[in-house]
Amino acid sequence: QKEVEQNSGPLSVPEGAIASLNCTYSDRVSQSFFWYRQYSGKSPELIMSIYSNGDKEDGRFTAQLNKASQYVSLLIRDSQPSDSATYLCAVKLGLTGGGNKLTFGTGTQLKVEL
Amino acid sequence: EPEVTQTPSHQVTQMGQEVILRCVPISNHLYFYWYRQILGQKVEFLVSFYNNEISEKSEIFDDQFSVERPDGSNFTLKIRSTKLEDSAMYFCASSLTSGRAVLSYNEQFFGPGTRLTVL
């Protein structure tokens, strides 16, 4: 059973539009949620973290968390061609018993078109 | 801005040979990790390391793998006898801490990776 699920895409949006990326997770005790951006051939780059229900905004990025639905999302406003990348959802399963490892989804490829 | 560094960027080796991948975590970070990503697949956890010992490891991290912090700055991953299926990108990451204290301290920052090719 997969622990972190993402639609692999590609998700295509026009420049200037809002991109919406979604992630679901299976372990209800998960406490910490992260979005990483990964350009092709590069390493994951942390862009957002979220720990409590609701929205968290940072510039053009908004992370949304709904623990009851086991759902986390990332909105990218005013999408730019430079946002074209694979977005990885990562979950820290548990706070103590789950240790400190991150469990990643397969990522959603985002393409921002001119 | 401090960052995690890794060497080499690319390592080519013959099956059965030993390789050592090197990482320099962010200087004030206390937790260190290795992850790997096989081409086209997701990032997978290998091992975490704290206070000079392994704190957690995955099923992938078998007896062929070992980690070490040989001095105050380097963190290494050794693969004793490489297999074809070990070919992957290996990422080192570090975090300031892990746990409830200050949540943002859990954030893990990744190095640029070492591409390991086993022939």
Side-chain angles (χ1 to χ4, degrees):
Chain A
Q1 183 181 358
K2 291 184 179 179
E3 295 175 324
V4 180
E5 294 200 36
Q6 296 180 257
N7 188 323
S8 60
L11 172 67
S12 293
V13 299
E15 184 178 5
I18 296 175
S20 178
L21 304 160
N22 305 314
C23 171
T24 58
Y25 59 94
S26 60
D27 194 324
R28 199 167 275 282
V29 301
S30 301
Q31 295 291 324
S32 306
F33 307 88
F34 306 90
W35 284 100
Y36 287 83
R37 178 174 61 199
Q38 187 175 35
Y39 293 111
S40 181
K42 302 296 185 183
S43 63
E45 174 192 5
L46 180 67
I47 52 173
M48 289 287 287
S49 59
I50 188 165
Y51 305 95
S52 53
N53 283 328
D55 294 1
K56 179 183 177 183
E57 187 175 317
D58 184 1
R60 295 188 296 114
F61 299 98
T62 299
Q64 300 174 316
L65 175 61
N66 184 326
K67 289 186 179 180
S69 301
Q70 295 175 236
Y71 177 91
V72 57
S73 65
L74 179 70
L75 301 178
I76 306 174
R77 286 182 300 283
D78 188 24
S79 296
Q80 301 297 310
S82 58
D83 294 327
S84 297
T86 297
Y87 288 80
L88 309 179
C89 175
V91 174
K92 189 160 172 274
L93 295 177
L95 203 52
T96 54
N100 45 15
K101 71 176 186 181
L102 294 178
T103 299
F104 284 85
T106 52
T108 297
Q109 185 183 7
L110 173 66
K111 293 184 177 180
V112 180
E113 298 168 335
L114 295 170
Chain B
E1 186 172 327
E3 57 183 22
V4 178
T5 60
Q6 291 186 243
T7 55
S9 57
H10 192 183
Q11 175 90 48
V12 181
T13 189
Q14 295 290 326
M15 189 169 56
Q17 294 297 303
E18 175 183 288
V19 294
I20 297 176
L21 311 183
R22 291 182 168 79
C23 167
V24 178
I26 294 172
S27 62
N28 63 336
H29 283 189
L30 301 177
Y31 284 81
F32 315 123
Y33 313 85
W34 285 101
Y35 292 84
R36 80 173 185 189
Q37 187 176 31
I38 295 170
L39 187 64
Q41 298 187 24
K42 63 182 179 180
V43 177
E44 299 175 290
F45 169 79
L46 293 178
V47 66
S48 60
F49 190 86
Y50 169 70
N51 198 25
N52 278 320
E53 59 183 30
I54 291 172
S55 52
E56 188 174 4
K57 60 183 181 179
S58 71
E59 292 177 352
I60 303 168
F61 194 88
D62 61 21
D63 292 344
Q64 294 299 312
F65 291 88
S66 62
V67 290
E68 190 178 35
R69 187 155 164 84
D71 54 45
S73 58
N74 288 283
F75 178 50
T76 63
L77 174 69
K78 182 192 291 186
I79 309 175
R80 236 179 301 280
S81 177
T82 50
K83 306 180 185 70
L84 295 176
E85 54 265 36
D86 293 328
S87 294
M89 280 288 283
Y90 287 80
F91 297 112
C92 175
S94 68
S95 66
L96 185 56
T97 185
S98 173
R100 198 188 290 270
V102 177
L103 293 174
S104 64
Y105 291 176
N106 293 306
E107 294 171 351
Q108 295 182 22
F109 296 92
F110 283 67
T114 293
R115 180 172 298 284
L116 176 65
T117 302
V118 182
L119 302 176

